[in-house]
Amino acid sequence: MRDLLSIKNLNTDEIYNLLNLALNIKKNPEDYSSKLRRKIIGLLFQKTSTRTRISFQSGIYQLGGTSLYLDWTTTNLHLGALPDEIKCISFYVDLIVARVYEHKILEVMRKAANIPVINGLSDKYHPCQILSDLMTIREIFGTFDGVSLSYVGDGNNICNSLILGCMKVELPICVATPSGYEPHKDVLNWVKKNNKEHLLTLKNDPKEVVKEADIVYTDTFVSMGQENETKKRLKVFKPYQINNKLLSYAKKMPYIMHCLPAHRGIEITDQVLDSERSIVFQQAENRLHLQKALLINLLK
Ligand code: CP
Ligand code: NVA
């Protein structure tokens, strides 16, 4: 593993190794306190962030390294040719974490950098989030075998990476999106090409996918960069809100996942988000441990 732009880049063994290491780091954080000694990580962000930015910065510090937060607009990343700027940054830091609007910017970065590049969210994928979510599912169930996961909402970056993550660990997933808001075609083609179609069910009716679910996952209806579509999206996605009425179709009360930030009262109600079955803060905590495992792996 040299970079992490998408979960597609990881094989199943690499994913299990990351999950095992992350669980161990969570249990014994002090054992890893000098793993990133003298390492410098650059965080290049085009969009805002709470969890990704802070969990990376704190995690790097806890591993004995240091980080530089590089806002796109206060560097010359927006002035110079991106490959030139990235080549220069590669002289000064050991690894780049980047959050970008367009996924193809990450491809340009990867080509120009002679150091590892981690996707800290793009319009297409959010691999760090989903790897830590797999860690959370494994913590709760002890296994992926026999777990039934459903995703309700927008076929966005979270949904795309969740599907890929599930395919890699053979966890079946049912997805309900409005028509026209399905997961990215590259993801659906990847599923087909890799003969994983038996693990993915696509529907339009959210009631159908919550029925058998052990876990129901949702995300915002309006991702960063889609703000000008807000009015239309809020209308289209209204029937996809995770609320007690929708969950009454479930045979048993499922666990609730959300990558956060949540828009309370929009894609999910307070009652559901604050319920006993909500594991959203365990997900948020695990970002820290999983990303530490990722950094140790990429910099060893
Ligand atoms: N889940 C997540 O990536 O949160 P932030 O956008 O706050 O980093
Ligand atoms: N789909 C959301 C995820 C935020 C973590 C977005 O891209 O804004």
Side-chain angles (χ1 to χ4, degrees):
M1 191 196 334
R2 202 209 96 159
D3 302 281
L4 179 66
L5 299 199
S6 164
I7 290 182
K8 274 192 222 175
N9 306 140
L10 298 175
N11 64 39
T12 304
D13 283 347
E14 286 171 326
I15 293 179
Y16 275 101
N17 286 341
L18 281 174
L19 301 186
N20 291 338
L21 179 57
L23 287 167
N24 210 30
I25 292 170
K26 187 172 181 174
K27 268 191 222 125
N28 310 297
E30 285 307 318
D31 293 356
Y32 298 87
S33 60
S34 55
K35 288 283 178 194
L36 253 58
R37 209 169 68 88
R38 301 185 64 82
K39 298 290 183 198
I40 305 173
I41 317 298
L43 283 91
L44 277 56
F45 277 42
Q46 284 186 329
K47 302 179 187 176
T48 52
S49 166
T50 301
R51 280 142 292 271
T52 307
R53 173 183 174 173
I54 301 170
S55 57
F56 264 112
Q57 290 199 279
S58 297
I60 291 160
Y61 185 71
Q62 289 167 4
L63 293 173
T66 194
S67 66
L68 303 172
Y69 179 73
L70 304 164
D71 181 333
W72 211 267
T73 53
T74 57
T75 56
N76 279 339
L77 283 160
H78 67 298
L79 285 185
L82 186 59
D84 297 344
E85 300 301 299
I86 295 297
K87 255 183 221 160
C88 295
I89 291 173
S90 300
F91 292 125
Y92 317 136
V93 304
D94 298 288
L95 183 148
I96 290 171
V97 180
R99 169 167 285 201
V100 298
Y101 282 102
E102 291 173 276
H103 189 76
K104 62 179 184 232
I105 294 178
L106 292 171
E107 302 285 355
V108 174
M109 284 187 175
R110 170 164 53 188
K111 274 199 197 105
N114 53 11
I115 54 172
V117 177
I118 295 177
N119 177 359
L121 180 143
S122 67
D123 56 341
K124 202 168 171 189
Y125 299 122
H126 197 2
C128 296
Q129 177 70 51
I130 299 309
L131 289 170
S132 45
D133 293 338
L134 291 177
M135 172 183 174
T136 304
I137 295 171
R138 195 137 167 263
E139 273 184 322
I140 287 179
F141 291 89
T143 174
F144 298 119
D145 289 346
V147 178
S148 166
L149 171 64
S150 291
Y151 176 93
V152 175
D154 189 16
N156 60 10
N157 44 11
I158 291 292
C159 181
N160 293 330
S161 288
L162 187 62
I163 292 173
L164 292 170
C166 285
M167 300 299 111
K168 293 276 180 174
V169 300
E170 304 264 312
L171 169 59
I173 174 167
C174 300
V175 174
T177 67
S179 163
Y181 294 87
E182 288 83 5
H184 199 286
K185 63 176 184 339
D186 289 355
V187 172
L188 300 181
N189 288 339
W190 186 92
V191 170
K192 208 169 174 185
K193 207 172 131 204
N194 288 274
N195 299 318
K196 304 277 189 190
E197 282 165 302
H198 60 288
L199 295 169
L200 173 64
T201 308
L202 296 177
K203 301 264 183 199
N204 294 128
D205 185 352
K207 295 192 284 300
E208 279 185 52
V209 307
V210 302
K211 227 182 262 172
E212 306 286 340
D214 294 313
I215 307 168
V216 174
Y217 197 133
T218 192
D219 182 23
T220 182
F221 296 153
V222 187
S223 284
M224 288 179 271
Q226 296 175 332
E227 291 78 4
N228 59 355
E229 298 172 37
T230 303
K231 205 171 158 204
K232 183 176 171 212
R233 284 178 164 268
L234 293 188
K235 199 168 158 211
V236 171
F237 283 98
K238 210 166 180 212
Y240 293 79
Q241 185 190 66
I242 309 297
N243 52 38
N244 282 340
K245 184 159 180 249
L246 177 64
L247 294 178
S248 70
Y249 291 92
K251 283 192 184 154
K252 53 183 175 297
M253 191 55 189
Y255 286 99
I256 302 299
M257 295 182 82
H258 191 310
C259 58
L260 304 180
H263 304 77
R264 288 170 174 263
I266 309 279
E267 73 270 10
I268 190 163
T269 59
D270 285 337
Q271 260 179 327
V272 174
L273 196 71
D274 298 329
S275 72
E276 273 180 9
R277 303 294 277 180
S278 169
I279 52 173
V280 301
F281 294 107
Q282 189 172 339
Q283 288 178 260
E285 185 196 335
N286 284 339
R287 296 290 305 273
L288 177 73
H289 311 298
L290 190 287
Q291 287 160 194
K292 283 183 177 178
L294 186 58
L295 291 166
I296 292 171
N297 251 282
L298 286 169
L299 288 171
K300 72 181 172 210

